[in-house]
Each structure stands twice: as C-alpha cells, then as structure tokens.
Amino acid sequence: MEELDGEPTVTLIPGVNSRKHQMCFDWGPGEMLVCETSFNKKEKSEMVPSCPFIYIIRKDVDVYSQVLRKLFNESHGIFVGLQRIEEELTGKSRKSQLVRVSKNYRSVIRACMEEMHQVAIAAKDPASGRQFSSQVSILSAMELIWNLCEILFIEVAPAGPLLLHLLDWVRLHVCEVDSLSADVLGSENPSKHESFWNLVTILVLQGRLDEARQMLSKEADTSPASVGMCRIMGELMRTMPILSPGNTQTLTELELKWQHWHEECERYLQDCTFASNPHLESLCKIMLGDEAALLEQKELLSNWYHFLVTRLLYSNPTVKPIDLQYYAQSSLDLFLGGESSPEPLDNILMAAFEFDIHQVIKECSIALSNWWFVAHLTDLLDHCKLLQSHNLYFGSNMREFLLLEYASGLFAHPSLWQLGVDYFDYCPELGRVSLELHIERIPLNTEQKALKVLRICEQRQMTEQVRSICKILAMKAVRNNRLGSALSWSIRAKDAAFATLVSDRFLRDYCERGCFSDLDLIDNLGPAMMLSDRLTFLGKYREFHRVYGEKRFADAASLLLSLMTSQIAPRSFWMTLLTDALPLLEQKQVIFSAEQTYELMQCLEDLTSGRPVHGGPDTQQCQDDDIETTKVEMLRLALARNLARAIIREGSLEGS
C-alpha cells in the first residue's frame, strides 16, 4: 500500500481550542486519548486548561454500530468456513465454490443494508436518520463494488456472458424502475400516466425488452395511430439477438445475427418509420447505441456505469474483458462531460474495469471508514490466486496486513474481540504475535470473560499469556480476600512465589481464626502442593489436622514432627506447631517416643534461643511476651513429662 493521495480528514473536538492551547495525546491499540495541557509558551499567566475533559478518539467507530455487528458476526462465519475448505478447493469446483462464498458475503451486506434502511426510516431524530441513511449509501456502494469484483475477478466471465453479468449488476443496483413500474401499472390508464414513457425508456436502457414490449402493447391498445409503430418496435425488441445462459451458439454467430438486427433497426430509423412518435424514435436510437440519444437520458441512467452497460448492450454486446477499460473511461468522460470530477466510488469502479486489483483495494482503504470490506475482499481474491505476487515491504503480504488491521479494530470492542481471534489465527506470519499483544490488553472485568480469554490462550499454547492472566486473577482474588480462588489461580499459573504468598495468608488466617477456609481446595491439592515449600507445608499441615481428627494420633505425631524437622515450616509458625503437639503430649498413652521428644525439645530450644529480646515499656509487647513465656513453660513441662513416660515405657518394653 502506498501513502495516501489526499490529506487526511480533520476531526474537530468540541470545547478544545488547539490554536490557543497545546494538546497532549496518547496512542492506544484502537483509540487515542486527547486533552489540553496547562503549558503555553505565549501566555504564561494562564496555567489552567480551559477544557478540563479527556477525550477518547476511536479510529473505528463502526464496530459499535448495532446493525453492523450483524455484518461482522455473519461474515466471520463465512471467512472461517472459507479458510477451512481451502484444501478442498480444487479443479472445476474451486471457481464455483469461491463464487458461492462471494455471493454469501454480498447477501450479508444486503441484509445489513435493508436493516439499516428500516432503522433510518424509524429514526425519530433527524440527525440520526441522516447518519443511518449515510450508512445505507456506504453499504450499497460496498455491494456494488464487491459485485463488480465478483464478475471480473472471481467469475472471470468471458466475452458474451460478461455483458449478461453486467446487465444483472446494473439491474440489481439501479432498482428505482420497480417502484416506478408499480406506480404506472397501478394507475387506471397506464399508457396515459405521466411516467409511462420514462418507464419504457428505463426498461430498454436496462435491456429488459420483454417488459418494454408488454408496456408498448398497452400503448397500442389505447392509441390506434401507434399500433403499427408499436408492433414494429415490439418485433425489433423480440428479435434482438442476445446470448442467453443456456444458448449454444458461438460468438461469431451471435455477432452476425446482431449485425443483421442492427442494420434492420437502422433501416427503420432512416425510413422515418417512427418519425410521428418521438418516444419510439428515441427508443430506436437507443437500440442503435447512439451516444447522443443515450446522453439525452442522463437523468434516467443516473450514473456513468449504467450508461456504460447500456452503451455496450446496443453497440458491442460481445465486448471482451480486456476492452472494458477503454469503454469505461470514455463512458465516464462522456457522462460527466467535464462538468464535475469523478467521486471516490467512480475511481474504484474504474480501477476494477482496468483490472487493477491493488488500486481497487487502495482506493477502498482510503474511501471506506473501516477495514471490513478490504480485509474480506482481499482474502477472497487471495484464495483466487490473484495476489500472490504482491508482498509489502514491512514483512507481510497485503492479505495478512489488512486482516491484522481489521482484527485489531475488533479487539477495541468489548465483545467482538472474540471474532478477531480467528482472524489472527489465519495470519501465518504475524498473526500469533499480534494476538499475544492484543489479548494482554483485554480488560478482565469478570471471571467469565477471564475464563474465555484463558481458554483461547490455552488452546494456542500461549504459556506466558496464561501465566499472566492467572496472576492477574490471583491478585484480584487476594485483594477481595478470596484466598481459595487466589490459590487456585496461582497454581494454574504455576507461580511458586505467589503460591507461597497465598499460603502464608492461609496460615495467618488460621492463626487468627483457629480454622482453615476453603478446605475442599486444600484437601485436594494433590501433586500441585509441590509447587512451593510453603504450599507443601500448607497441604501437609491440613493433612495433620485431618489425621488428628480421625484420632490416628501416632500418624499425626509423625507428620507433625516431620513438618518441624524438614525445615519447610516457616519459623514464625513453629510455636503454633509445638502448641499443636500439646494435646498429643498430654494423651494417656505415650504418642511421642523418647527420640521424638528430644527432637521436639531441640526445636523448642532453637525457637526460644533465636527470639529477639524486646526492651522498653510497650505494654502490649509485654503482654505478648508473657503469653509466649507461659506457652514455652507449658511446652517444657509437657515435653519433660512425656520424656519421662516415654523412657519408662520404652525401658519396660526392653525389660520384658
């Protein structure tokens, strides 16, 4: 893609005077923040911005349209389906499959256009009505361009059938004739209706000669003087040779028949057969392809490409695709007549008639307000093997570049971002990197949304992103004091440091409340408890309580002692563990052996010898020290008594 041919449009921000105040801005992936600053070189006295607001400027506002969301959602399914059937597209079926896909895209555009039209009619606010009508015009232009590209690049219609496709194209997009026909035929006397001859002329201009003949028969019924002329004109219309889809005649045969028919029309005109009826004479000139006669009907033709197709129909019905550009350029020049310059739509259509695909894509990128059209059209043309030679200088081909831009726009929307994921998936060069960058910026407002994002990352083995999301959710859970959820997310993230932090919170809560929360989670840690020493301690300490509750005192004592001696218990928790040993030391039967008791005594001494000595008159600290001293004395007494009992018991067992 080359640089823009014109200046970019200026966006005015209400309340902001950029000439008087310096602006501050910050770019985001799909939007920009803009505000005034207090910095002003000329007027140093004024230090407060006159506009205190921060504005968000979005580059792609179409994604927020409710009606256009239908376009994005339904076209996403067509896009993904096309990528999946790529391997099946072989031989003769390939072209028909691609044409079918193209028609599916066009049907989605048309459905959205009709829905937008209804919304425009129902709009209560005139400004909203104008905005919706403008969107209808844009969607109509998009379908017009897509349809022409389908005929020229995908269908690749040869001479003969090409004109039939172009006629259908014009009839589809110049549809005022249907409402006009309903008005005329709905009147009491259609042939006397003020728009009767306009209707007949439009039907002839669109090549709908059978319908034009039927209208002429009504004129013949009510005007005896015109019966003969209407019969001759009707016969000329009936005998006009045209290549129908099921016809087997060759182009040479068609050209000979058409030449003979053309000479017959010219003979009737020279013989002044229709001289007494200016309307029929004008129709005869049109059917002869007379340019002056066609240009007299500018209002009925309404645009230059209608003029082009009508001109080809009556002057060169077997036009070859390669010659289209010459007829298109001359038709544009003749129709505009130097009175006005071509619109962006005219330039796009002209580029298509010149078979310049890249110019079509470039002009559409400049003219249209979002990337939907060019991204999907380029992807389809790429599947037609028409863009293989066009690589961009910054590392990607045109298809991928446009898909990346479109997907980036979708990620700016709170729900459409899910569609963008698939577009990134089908960009082999830069898609994964772009997805990783964008998915990290998705605000995880709810746990449900976070789980969706997490599932997407896990399916694509995006390990770093999975860890990042789990850590974010773990932090949120900790801030909300949901320790069980925090521990679960930290385990899922395989974050040992955070798992240690959460385990410490569990232990602190236990010390304050005397019980554990989220027992189901702690009881079922399984191999996950090996993630960190503190988590292992938490799981084993909970196991000690469970075993103790089952009155398996010997197992509980062994587990408690192993927690003390293995050094995985935090030193701050040793007193709690020793206190937990008290009930076991006071049991009627000896639970701890003499050797185990010595180990417990050693732990107690290590703990007391390493405690800091507090000086000063802090009353609360003195009370805490007194409590700790009492606990230590109780433990020493219990350990001494248990040691004595254990020695006696073990001596008795040895003696026996």
Side-chain angles (χ1 to χ4, degrees):
M1 301 285 286
E2 297 147 15
E3 58 188 57
L4 298 179
D5 289 340
E7 289 293 322
T9 56
V10 177
T11 301
L12 297 176
I13 305 173
V16 173
N17 188 345
S18 58
R19 295 180 181 177
K20 190 174 181 181
H21 296 275
Q22 185 152 335
M23 305 302 297
C24 168
F25 66 91
D26 188 25
W27 291 104
E31 55 198 19
M32 180 173 66
L33 296 178
V34 177
C35 64
E36 282 188 5
T37 68
S38 57
F39 179 76
N40 193 320
K41 291 181 179 179
K42 295 180 181 178
E43 301 176 17
K44 294 186 179 180
S45 59
E46 187 181 352
M47 295 300 293
V48 181
S50 62
C51 182
F53 300 108
I54 295 177
Y55 290 89
I56 299 175
I57 302 174
R58 294 189 174 96
K59 68 176 183 179
D60 193 355
V61 295
D62 289 345
V63 296
Y64 295 93
S65 166
Q66 288 296 322
V67 178
L68 291 180
R69 283 187 66 175
K70 180 178 180 181
L71 177 70
F72 302 139
N73 279 307
E74 295 196 15
S75 60
H76 164 261
I78 300 170
F79 170 82
V80 173
L82 175 58
Q83 314 311 309
R84 289 176 179 168
I85 64 169
E86 168 61 23
E87 295 179 1
E88 303 170 16
L89 296 176
T90 55
K92 295 180 179 179
S93 65
R94 181 182 183 85
K95 178 178 168 181
S96 60
Q97 286 272 41
L98 292 171
V99 170
R100 182 178 57 80
V101 170
S102 179
K103 291 182 187 298
N104 288 342
Y105 275 125
R106 285 201 294 115
S107 67
V108 172
I109 298 173
R110 182 157 285 272
C112 286
M113 182 172 64
E114 291 171 358
E115 187 175 342
M116 189 74 79
H117 181 65
Q118 295 303 318
V119 172
I121 293 171
K124 297 177 181 178
D125 178 19
S128 298
R130 287 192 296 272
Q131 183 181 355
F132 290 129
S133 296
S134 174
Q135 284 284 0
V136 171
S137 301
I138 292 170
L139 288 169
S140 177
M142 285 164 60
E143 197 207 351
L144 178 77
I145 298 163
W146 192 299
N147 196 351
L148 181 60
C149 290
E150 179 186 303
I151 294 167
L152 300 178
F153 305 135
I154 304 171
E155 191 90 47
V156 196
L162 173 62
L163 185 63
L164 296 180
H165 287 298
L166 291 175
L167 278 171
D168 290 337
W169 175 60
V170 164
R171 290 166 186 169
L172 181 64
H173 296 282
V174 184
C175 48
E176 295 84 357
V177 64
D178 295 322
S179 57
L180 182 62
S181 178
D183 287 343
V184 172
L185 293 175
S187 63
E188 280 188 34
N189 192 347
S191 64
K192 301 300 180 185
H193 193 280
E194 59 181 359
S195 300
F196 174 80
W197 286 107
N198 281 349
L199 174 60
V200 176
T201 304
I202 293 175
L203 290 172
V204 173
L205 291 171
Q206 291 193 6
R208 297 163 66 168
L209 299 182
D210 288 339
E211 295 171 66
R213 282 172 55 220
Q214 292 173 11
M215 298 303 297
L216 286 178
S217 67
K218 298 185 182 299
E219 167 69 9
D221 292 341
T222 56
S223 177
S226 303
V227 172
M229 290 182 287
C230 287
R231 182 181 58 76
I232 294 170
M233 179 58 70
E235 188 63 18
L236 288 175
M237 292 179 179
R238 187 186 68 80
T239 56
M240 178 183 174
I242 192 163
L243 190 66
S244 57
N247 204 326
T248 57
Q249 64 182 334
T250 64
L251 286 181
T252 305
E253 291 173 338
L254 177 66
E255 287 173 349
L256 288 172
K257 289 180 179 178
W258 185 86
Q259 190 62 39
H260 175 73
W261 172 85
H262 190 268
E263 290 170 358
E264 188 176 2
C265 290
E266 196 165 6
R267 187 172 64 253
Y268 280 120
L269 186 65
Q270 290 175 353
D271 291 346
C272 300
T273 305
F274 307 112
S276 60
N277 191 320
H279 297 297
L280 291 175
E281 188 175 37
S282 175
L283 291 179
C284 188
K285 289 179 180 179
I286 290 171
M287 290 165 67
L288 280 168
D290 185 280
E291 289 178 0
L294 286 170
L295 290 171
E296 285 176 9
Q297 309 299 333
K298 260 191 181 183
E299 289 187 12
L300 299 180
L301 286 166
S302 73
N303 51 63
W304 68 271
Y305 47 89
H306 189 182
F307 170 60
L308 163 67
V309 176
T310 303
R311 182 184 172 201
L312 289 173
L313 174 65
Y314 295 116
S315 62
N316 189 1
T318 57
V319 62
K320 296 175 182 177
I322 197 171
D323 295 328
L324 270 180
Q325 55 182 315
Y326 308 114
Y327 283 99
Q329 187 61 60
S330 63
S331 296
L332 177 63
D333 295 340
L334 285 169
F335 196 83
L336 296 180
E339 298 173 7
S340 59
S341 56
E343 298 288 331
L345 176 61
D346 301 329
N347 295 330
I348 294 168
L349 296 178
M350 183 57 66
F353 283 122
E354 291 172 353
F355 289 87
D356 190 344
I357 297 175
H358 304 118
Q359 188 65 21
V360 170
I361 294 168
K362 175 186 173 181
E363 295 284 350
C364 289
S365 300
I366 296 170
L368 299 175
S369 59
N370 66 70
W371 296 100
W372 179 89
F373 182 85
V374 287
H376 290 85
L377 179 61
T378 303
D379 174 65
L380 184 57
L381 295 176
D382 187 70
H383 281 86
C384 296
K385 311 295 183 187
L386 296 173
L387 297 172
Q388 266 61 27
S389 61
H390 196 80
N391 289 323
L392 304 179
Y393 62 87
F394 41 82
S396 176
N397 59 39
M398 183 184 287
R399 169 192 174 273
E400 183 159 322
F401 169 76
L402 294 172
L403 288 176
L404 291 173
E405 287 294 323
Y406 173 64
S408 298
L410 292 178
F411 263 81
H413 192 275
S415 61
L416 290 177
W417 63 268
Q418 297 173 75
L419 305 181
V421 172
D422 285 325
Y423 288 95
F424 282 135
D425 281 344
Y426 290 107
C427 294
E429 290 185 41
L430 302 175
R432 184 180 176 88
V433 176
S434 300
L435 178 58
E436 289 173 354
L437 292 172
H438 280 82
I439 213 157
E440 289 174 351
R441 294 188 174 97
I442 296 175
L444 305 177
N445 307 330
T446 63
E447 193 159 317
Q448 183 183 9
K449 187 174 182 180
L451 288 170
K452 282 183 182 178
V453 177
L454 198 58
R455 196 179 307 116
I456 288 167
C457 294
E458 287 176 339
Q459 288 170 350
R460 290 156 180 80
Q461 287 83 46
M462 295 164 63
T463 311
E464 286 304 313
Q465 283 67 32
V466 169
R467 286 171 60 87
S468 175
I469 293 165
C470 290
K471 287 171 73 172
I472 290 168
L473 294 172
M475 287 294 293
K476 284 185 177 181
V478 167
R479 284 197 293 269
N480 295 324
N481 206 33
R482 294 167 51 224
L483 297 182
S485 178
L487 183 59
S488 176
W489 285 119
S490 60
I491 291 171
R492 195 165 179 178
K494 296 181 175 58
D495 189 331
F498 203 82
T500 299
L501 174 70
V502 178
S503 300
D504 281 337
R505 285 285 300 271
F506 266 106
L507 295 172
R508 191 165 73 239
D509 274 13
Y510 172 77
C511 292
E512 293 171 358
R513 297 164 50 194
C515 62
F516 283 113
S517 59
D518 299 286
L519 287 178
D520 286 345
L521 175 63
I522 301 173
D523 285 342
N524 295 284
L525 284 173
M529 73 169 64
M530 305 306 294
L531 181 63
S532 76
D533 287 348
R534 199 61 45 82
L535 186 56
T536 303
F537 170 74
L538 176 64
K540 289 297 182 182
Y541 185 57
R542 167 57 193 155
E543 186 181 343
F544 159 75
H545 277 276
R546 186 167 49 79
V547 172
Y548 182 87
E550 295 170 358
K551 300 189 184 302
R552 293 158 50 197
F553 298 132
D555 292 339
S558 299
L559 187 53
L560 185 66
L561 187 63
S562 69
L563 290 175
M564 291 290 294
T565 57
S566 63
Q567 302 297 317
I568 64 169
R571 193 176 183 83
S572 61
F573 209 74
W574 280 17
M575 183 55 75
T576 304
L577 292 174
L578 289 166
T579 306
D580 286 333
L582 269 175
L584 295 171
L585 292 168
E586 297 293 342
Q587 290 290 326
K588 288 182 181 180
Q589 63 186 49
V590 178
I591 305 297
F592 289 103
S593 66
E595 184 181 352
Q596 290 175 325
T597 307
Y598 279 127
E599 289 180 348
L600 287 174
M601 293 173 82
Q602 181 63 49
C603 288
L604 179 60
E605 291 307 313
D606 290 345
L607 179 62
T608 53
S609 64
R611 290 174 61 197
V613 178
H614 295 280
D618 190 336
T619 306
Q620 182 64 43
Q621 187 62 51
C622 289
Q623 290 177 355
D624 291 344
D625 287 346
D626 289 343
I627 293 170
E628 288 297 307
T629 303
T630 304
K631 285 183 181 179
V632 170
E633 293 302 323
M634 288 176 62
L635 281 166
R636 281 178 175 156
L637 179 60
L639 287 166
R641 289 171 58 186
N642 188 80
L643 180 60
R645 292 166 60 200
I647 291 171
I648 293 170
R649 180 173 177 275
E650 289 170 11
S652 299
L653 289 173
E654 287 176 8
S656 63

